[in-house]
Amino acid sequence: MTIKIEKLYKHYKQKDQIIQILSGVDLEIKTGEIVALLGKSGSGKSTLLSLIAGLDLPDSGKVLINDTDLFKLSDEERARFRGKNIGIVFQQFHLVNHLNAFENISLSLEINNKKDNSLIRQWLDEMGLTERAHHLPSTLSGGEQQRVAIARALIFNPKLILADEPTGNLDNETAKQITKLLFDYVRKLKTTMIFVTHDRELAELADRIVTLKDGRCDF
Ligand code: ADP
Ligand code: MG
């Protein structure tokens, strides 16, 4: 999936102040490419990712995903496009608390009108979670929760993975393991990925590093 970001602007209002977060972001990503997005805390990485996911709207500018002009779609069309094409992995995991590991992964298939219990078992196995299938998120370690979230994001074979500091809440050793696991699967499935991190060592695993600074992308 090729992604073309053109002159993206976004501000927020805080009290009476206007804070310009993105000031003309331009970026192109090729199909199957893994891009690490680096930048200081508060530089707008999550803002940019939520625009690419179509979870938020910019002040101006374009996001083209293949031939789809994201902000020309209606809210409903955009949500459907996201559900079908984009898998998202968050820092805070965002699993559904009252569903167990199996059910959390299943939910992601159901959104795409699919049901395939043996595929879910296969993903649980690949993520080393077979013994944890019936555990609720609150009884799983951070690393285990993120492996559930990775399976949930990849199981419906999305064309694009957006990962927002997916290992930011994990200890160093687990962070490395989970990042390698995620990269291995994304490479195997030839999925395009934007991987947000502030850890340069993890960023080095990507095909390319892009830095967000002063509201723009530096190459
Ligand atoms: P990063 O992910 O790089 O840490 P963010 O994109 O989360 O940065 O945030 C960039 C800036 O925008 C921060 O200063 C943050 O406080 C501000 N911000 C983010 N979301 C909102 C919002 N909904 N309303 C107001 N300010 C926001
Ligand atoms: Mg962030």
Side-chain angles (χ1 to χ4, degrees):
M1 200 157 234
T2 23
I3 301 162
K4 231 185 229 175
I5 298 164
E6 292 176 5
K7 299 190 184 62
L8 213 52
Y9 285 80
K10 179 77 181 174
H11 78 275
Y12 288 119
K13 281 201 189 87
Q14 278 176 9
K15 292 178 188 156
D16 294 334
Q17 269 196 319
I18 287 179
I19 312 175
Q20 193 67 39
I21 309 293
L22 305 179
S23 317
V25 170
D26 288 308
L27 180 63
E28 267 190 60
I29 299 169
K30 287 182 288 207
T31 302
E33 194 176 20
I34 298 181
V35 169
L37 183 64
L38 273 172
K40 285 194 195 127
S41 172
S43 60
K45 303 182 296 297
S46 295
T47 301
L48 177 57
L49 230 58
S50 66
L51 292 173
I52 299 169
L55 289 164
D56 200 358
L57 295 171
D59 302 330
S60 60
K62 267 190 192 182
V63 171
L64 294 161
I65 300 183
N66 280 351
D67 293 326
T68 304
D69 191 336
L70 207 54
F71 306 127
K72 284 203 172 141
L73 302 178
S74 69
D75 291 353
E76 204 180 297
E77 286 169 333
R78 210 173 326 105
R80 208 174 316 126
F81 181 85
R82 178 175 55 250
K84 212 175 143 197
N85 296 291
I86 304 178
I88 310 179
V89 185
F90 299 94
Q91 179 173 359
Q92 315 284 355
F93 320 128
H94 286 307
L95 298 174
V96 181
N97 286 327
H98 63 89
L99 299 180
N100 67 33
F102 186 99
E103 293 162 341
N104 262 285
I105 299 172
S106 179
L107 186 62
S108 148
L109 280 179
E110 283 164 35
I111 289 167
N112 281 281
N113 298 314
K114 282 183 205 145
K115 198 173 180 319
D116 190 339
N117 288 350
S118 71
L119 183 65
I120 298 169
R121 279 193 289 273
Q122 189 188 319
W123 271 99
L124 282 164
D125 188 41
E126 304 241 8
M127 293 290 133
L129 291 165
T130 299
E131 309 287 302
R132 298 282 181 272
H134 302 294
H135 286 229
L136 292 175
S138 59
T139 67
L140 298 173
S141 72
E144 287 168 341
Q145 288 184 64
Q146 200 58 305
R147 281 184 270 146
V148 175
I150 288 170
R152 175 182 64 177
L154 285 171
I155 195 169
F156 67 96
N157 223 346
K159 308 277 187 326
L160 172 64
I161 290 281
L162 300 175
D164 194 352
E165 307 212 39
T167 61
N169 272 2
L170 306 175
D171 63 81
N172 262 343
E173 196 47 44
T174 311
K176 260 187 228 163
Q177 279 172 13
I178 297 277
T179 303
K180 288 205 172 110
L181 187 72
L182 175 63
F183 276 54
D184 280 351
Y185 277 92
V186 166
R187 287 220 158 89
K188 194 163 89 182
L189 299 167
K190 299 187 170 44
T191 318
T192 311
M193 177 162 75
I194 305 179
F195 175 82
V196 169
T197 182
H198 55 250
D199 185 327
R200 186 159 273 279
E201 195 186 330
L202 296 180
E204 300 283 354
L205 296 168
D207 300 326
R208 181 156 63 107
I209 297 177
V210 170
T211 306
L212 192 60
K213 193 167 173 256
D214 303 328
R216 289 167 196 245
C217 281
D218 273 351
F219 302 98

